[in-house]
């Protein structure tokens, strides 16, 4: 219930902020609309905590997310306006009124209707609720439009001729659960099949709702790539039920499916006579529900997963957390594929808004002859995206 209490406090704080920014807004029917929307949203968010088996309609869950995001945006955008306005008002009250030495002629008086600083801040405050609603609506629309197939050409020096044109399809951070269903995942695998990729990979955070685990594995098993699909674990697999998810992968493999899970190990394949080794590492989670990445955990994974590597192999690496790239490059991985960041889910002009959160946030990075690609994610656990579309990535290797 702590989560419900936090949401309640956010709604109360947002309501108080709105009242300060625009005193006449939360009155009459508008006040009832704000109270009703907050109550409905809070009920939707709290119901699964009281009744875990409750199956709410998707539109209800999206409404609750949109309402909550609007409240958060009101706080983030409104509080600075309030602080500046009160600072300006405080300075005005403190400033002594000096008697004018000369009467100002009407011709030199300020123009009628000129906007004072206080009026400007008042209008800015009234724009905050429109900004909140507009931003949350645009973000929810971006999250609901589905994935795009993104093509990326990766030029690698001294790549063997047999590997020139080798195509990899990547999905990651699908998050089958409240907002992403198994049909969405099936469509993503179908997109890679249609692209005729040679190898499909799934780089972690596959599922959040274990009730959909069977359908999720069935969707992965529709892979038609000649070299099958290689998957790794993300932090959400550790959180949601690691044993059940690993068992589902093992059962799928026992049925003869093309899907194989790599946990600090590697898989070799041969393409046009060239030997390729794909390394897959576990998520370096710290504690049962920790988010902090431990370098020692990554080092342990690297030592296990890169055993038996041969100089004549083309070495690829799959990691959920992109920070593993440095260790992979040191061990000879020509290309590392990662996810986890969702590209920050918000970007303007191609630049992630939260670029400072991760060392490698979105897109391509290079370290000498070694490259990293960080996908923006195929799905999401929060259906809000602005400037970072969900993607199914098709990467083509090219020799240079």
């Amino acid at each position: 219930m702590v989560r419900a209490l936090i949401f309640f406090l956010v709604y109360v704080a947002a309501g108080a902020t709105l009242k300060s920014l625009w005193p006449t807004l939360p009155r009459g029917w508008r006040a009832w609309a704000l109270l009703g929307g907050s109550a409905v949203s809070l009920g939707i968010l709290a119901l699964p905590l009281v009744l875990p088996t409750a199956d709410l309609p998707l539109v209800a869950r999206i409404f609750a997310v949109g309402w909550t995001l609007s409240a958060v945006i009101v706080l983030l955008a409104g509080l600075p306006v309030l602080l500046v306005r009160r600072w300006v008002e405080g300075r005005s009250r403190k400033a002594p009124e000096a008697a004018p030495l000369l009467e100002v002629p009407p011709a030199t008086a300020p123009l009628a209707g000129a906007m004072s600083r206080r009026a400007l801040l008042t209008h800015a405050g009234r724009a905050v609720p429109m900004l909140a609603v507009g931003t949350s609506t645009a973000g929810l629309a971006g999250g609901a439009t589905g994935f795009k197939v993104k093509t990326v050409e990766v030029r690698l020096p001294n790549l063997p001729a047999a590997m020139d044109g080798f195509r990899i399809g990547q999905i990651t951070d699908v998050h089958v659960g409240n907002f992403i269903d198994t049909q969405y995942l099936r469509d993503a695998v179908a997109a890679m099949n249609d692209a005729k990729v040679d190898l499909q990979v799934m780089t972690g955070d596959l599922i959040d709702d274990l009730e959909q685990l069977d359908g999720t594995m069935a969707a992965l098993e529709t892979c038609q790539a000649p070299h099958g699909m290689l998957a790794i674990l993300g932090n959400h697999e550790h959180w949601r039920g690691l044993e059940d998810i690993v068992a589902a992968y093992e059962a799928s493999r026992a049925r003869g499916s093309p899907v194989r899970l790599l946990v600090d190990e590697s898989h070799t394949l041969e393409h046009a006579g060239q030997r390729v080794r794909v390394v897959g590492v576990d998520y370096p989670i710290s504690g049962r529900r920790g988010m902090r990445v431990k370098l020692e955990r990554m080092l342990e994974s690297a030592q296990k997963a890169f055993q038996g590597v041969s100089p004549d192999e083309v070495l690829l690496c799959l990691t959920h957390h992109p920070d593993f790239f440095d260790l992979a490059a040191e061990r000879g991985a020509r290309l590392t594929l990662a996810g986890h960041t969702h590209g920050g889910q918000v970007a303007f002009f191609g630049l992630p808004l939260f670029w400072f959160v991760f060392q490698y946030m979105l897109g391509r990075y290079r370290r000498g002859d070694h490259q990293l690609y960080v996908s923006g994610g195929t799905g999401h656990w929060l259906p809000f995206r602005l400037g970072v579309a969900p993607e199914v990535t098709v990467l083509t290797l090219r020799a240079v």
Side-chain angles (χ1 to χ4, degrees), residues 139-189:
L140 289 172
T145 53
F147 61 81
K148 296 181 180 179
V149 177
K150 183 175 181 178
T151 58
V152 178
E153 193 169 86
V154 182
R155 297 183 175 275
L156 297 173
N158 304 315
L159 184 71
M163 293 296 292
D164 188 61
F166 187 81
R167 291 162 66 82
I168 304 171
Q170 180 192 12
I171 56 175
T172 188
D173 299 275
V174 182
H175 294 286
V176 173
N178 286 334
F179 302 102
I180 301 293
D181 59 17
T182 56
Q183 184 58 51
Y184 184 96
L185 175 59
R186 192 177 289 268
D187 291 342
V189 176

Side-chain angles (χ1 to χ4, degrees), residues 342-373:
H342 296 211
Q345 294 201 191
V346 179
F348 298 102
F349 306 107
L351 299 175
L353 178 62
F354 307 106
W355 56 268
F356 51 87
V357 176
F358 293 98
Q359 181 180 2
Y360 306 111
M361 174 62 82
L362 177 65
R364 286 196 275 192
Y365 300 87
R366 184 186 298 273
R367 183 177 176 185
D369 291 340
H370 311 278
Q371 293 192 41
L372 165 69
Y373 182 79

Side-chain angles (χ1 to χ4, degrees), residues 3-32:
R3 187 183 305 173
L5 178 60
I6 292 173
F7 288 136
F8 173 75
L9 294 175
V10 168
Y11 296 158
V12 171
T17 303
L18 272 179
K19 187 174 182 179
S20 297
L21 290 171
W22 196 343
T24 60
L25 179 64
R27 291 182 182 175
W29 68 268
R30 291 188 294 268
W32 288 108

Side-chain angles (χ1 to χ4, degrees), residues 123-135:
H123 286 292
R126 292 181 176 182
V128 167
M130 275 75 92
L131 172 68
V133 172
T135 302

Side-chain angles (χ1 to χ4, degrees), residues 57-268:
L58 179 60
V59 64
R61 297 195 294 268
I62 291 177
F63 169 80
V65 170
W67 192 271
T68 304
L69 287 171
S70 296
V72 171
I73 294 170
V74 165
L75 289 175
L76 293 177
L79 288 177
V81 175
L82 281 178
L83 291 173
V84 173
R85 193 172 77 183
R86 289 181 180 178
W87 177 74
V88 169
E89 291 174 349
R91 289 193 62 185
S92 299
R93 285 194 296 268
K94 292 179 182 179
E97 291 187 6
L101 298 177
L102 296 173
E103 184 177 351
V104 180
T108 61
L111 293 175
M115 188 178 296
S116 67
R117 284 179 295 181
R118 182 176 178 180
L120 177 62
L121 289 169
T122 298
H123 286 292
R126 292 181 176 182
V128 167
M130 275 75 92
L131 172 68
V133 172
T135 302
S136 61
T137 301
L140 289 172
T145 53
F147 61 81
K148 296 181 180 179
V149 177
K150 183 175 181 178
T151 58
V152 178
E153 193 169 86
V154 182
R155 297 183 175 275
L156 297 173
N158 304 315
L159 184 71
M163 293 296 292
D164 188 61
F166 187 81
R167 291 162 66 82
I168 304 171
Q170 180 192 12
I171 56 175
T172 188
D173 299 275
V174 182
H175 294 286
V176 173
N178 286 334
F179 302 102
I180 301 293
D181 59 17
T182 56
Q183 184 58 51
Y184 184 96
L185 175 59
R186 192 177 289 268
D187 291 342
V189 176
M192 295 189 290
N193 290 336
D194 293 342
K196 307 296 183 185
V197 299
D198 299 294
L199 172 68
Q200 296 183 14
V201 300
M202 203 294 297
T203 51
D205 279 7
L206 173 65
I207 185 169
D208 288 333
D209 178 12
L210 296 190
E211 294 294 325
Q212 302 185 57
L213 185 55
D214 290 342
T216 296
M217 298 312 300
L220 293 183
E221 290 169 1
T222 60
C223 165
Q224 298 174 4
H227 298 297
M229 176 185 291
L230 300 176
I232 59 171
L233 300 172
N235 50 304
H236 279 245
E237 282 87 348
H238 283 269
W239 293 350
R240 303 302 182 186
L242 182 62
E243 292 183 2
D244 290 338
I245 294 171
V246 171
Y249 273 114
E250 291 175 348
S252 176
R253 187 65 178 167
R255 292 193 295 268
S257 84
V259 182
R260 176 172 178 175
L261 177 67
L262 300 178
V263 184
D264 290 343
E265 57 188 311
S266 64
H267 171 74
T268 57

